[in-house]
DNA sequence: GAAAAACATGCAACTAAAGTGCATAATTAA
DNA sequence: TTAATTATGCACTTTAGTTGCATGTTTTTC
């Protein structure tokens, strides 16, 4: 049994063909991908199935959705897909306005923010927009 | 000439009837509003015109768009609509997952974030999700 | 003040992404 | 092996955002 298969099983995801392929696809990318990216990465592809697959991954804690402000949802593998349970990273995301790529800066956690009285924080999303390393080194 | 009329003119926006109404509508709200909210706030309303109006306001630096992760754009008046010129606030936004309201926390600026080498920051968006003061005091 | 130019509005139509319903296929449980 | 569950494929719907174009209104020019 392959390693990917084990990862999926650990997350209670039945390792079907498409799921194995999508997981591999995600590991090969080091930036967040849209559903369109995923769709383009497969010859034989059924949009709905890919959609439901990535949503399954999300629900089971294998990937996290990123809203970088472009209006289309992006997805990236969680940092530690080997460990189960949400280890809520709350790292920040960088969106390059030149190449349109969005990167997980997993080493950069969102700093603590003090809120006005009565406000209770449950989750955070910090997106920094600018020029990425690849695009600035040209 | 009314005060609102002057504010619009200062921002190089021709003070038409709808624009005056929308500006007043925005000042009366203390939370960010969607285009649907705006539309619902007017008896006689043409969605496209309201859309173009809010976009004009945005372009002219009267309102800023907020992406709180719900998938629908929200808008709120800039802090100092009396001053012209983008005084890029970069304050944080709070989205209440209970009442779905999004609030500008204009006093809470986004802290400085250090980025990896090569990454250049141009803009930031920090949204905190949780329970707002109104919803937690019940 | 009349004509021309610029800008605003209303209506229809389009786009893109997200999501649902349902039939069929495949897998797992009984 | 049968029944139950889950996955997949296809069509279709929903919603937000956006554009094209004709008409209305305001501003500029002469
Ligand atoms: Mn990430
Ligand atoms: Mn704001
Ligand atoms: Zn880039
Ligand atoms: Zn609330």
């Amino acid at each position: 049994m392959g390693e990917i298969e084990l990862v999926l099983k650990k997350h209670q995801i039945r390792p079907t063909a498409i799921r194995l392929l999508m997981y591999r696809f995600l590991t090969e990318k080091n930036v967040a991908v849209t559903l369109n990216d995923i769709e383009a990465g497969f010859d034989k592809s059924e949009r709905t199935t890919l959609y439901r697959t990535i949503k399954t991954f999300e629900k089971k804690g294998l990937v996290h959705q990123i809203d970088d402000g472009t209006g289309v949802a992006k997805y990236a593998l969680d940092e530690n897909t080997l460990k189960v349970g949400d280890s809520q990273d709350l790292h920040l995301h960088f969106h390059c306005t030149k190449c349109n790529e969005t990167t997980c800066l997993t080493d950069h956690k969102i700093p603590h923010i003090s809120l006005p009285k009565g406000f209770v924080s449950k989750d955070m999303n910090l997106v920094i927009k600018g020029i990425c390393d690849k695009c600035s080194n040209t």
Side-chain angles (χ1 to χ4, degrees), chain A:
Chain A
M1 189 182 288
E3 191 176 330
I4 296 179
E5 225 168 317
L6 285 172
V7 174
L8 294 186
K9 284 196 172 172
K10 266 189 193 162
H11 287 263
Q12 320 231 42
I13 300 167
R14 301 216 298 224
T16 67
I18 290 181
R19 288 167 177 180
L20 292 168
L21 284 171
M22 190 184 289
Y23 185 87
R24 196 148 62 90
F25 180 79
L26 291 170
T27 56
E28 283 164 1
K29 295 270 177 180
N30 57 343
V31 292
V33 295
T34 66
L35 186 58
N36 279 335
D37 293 335
I38 295 172
E39 206 179 359
F42 293 86
D43 294 335
K44 161 191 164 293
S45 66
E46 183 46 38
R47 190 179 179 78
T48 313
T49 303
L50 297 176
Y51 170 74
R52 286 198 258 234
T53 300
I54 197 75
K55 283 299 176 189
T56 298
F57 282 10
E58 189 189 6
K59 213 178 305 172
K60 300 292 188 179
L62 204 59
V63 305
H64 59 287
Q65 183 178 334
I66 302 156
D67 183 6
D68 63 6
T70 55
V72 276
K74 294 185 180 174
Y75 303 89
L77 279 177
D78 279 358
E79 205 170 350
N80 263 321
T81 48
L82 301 176
K83 292 178 192 160
V84 184
D86 41 23
S87 53
Q88 282 283 21
D89 276 320
L90 290 192
H91 56 268
L92 65 92
H93 293 116
F94 188 92
H95 174 238
C96 177
T97 52
K98 198 170 175 187
C99 67
N100 198 31
E101 281 187 350
T102 296
T103 318
C104 292
L105 298 180
T106 47
D107 295 336
H108 293 67
K109 309 301 180 193
I110 301 177
H112 175 261
I113 308 280
S114 67
L115 292 172
K117 200 170 166 61
F119 288 81
V120 181
S121 169
K122 292 272 170 66
D123 193 12
M124 291 170 146
N125 183 32
L126 173 55
V127 178
I128 302 191
K129 296 175 199 301
I131 309 295
C132 77
D133 55 343
K134 277 184 289 180
C135 289
S136 64
N137 291 338
T138 43

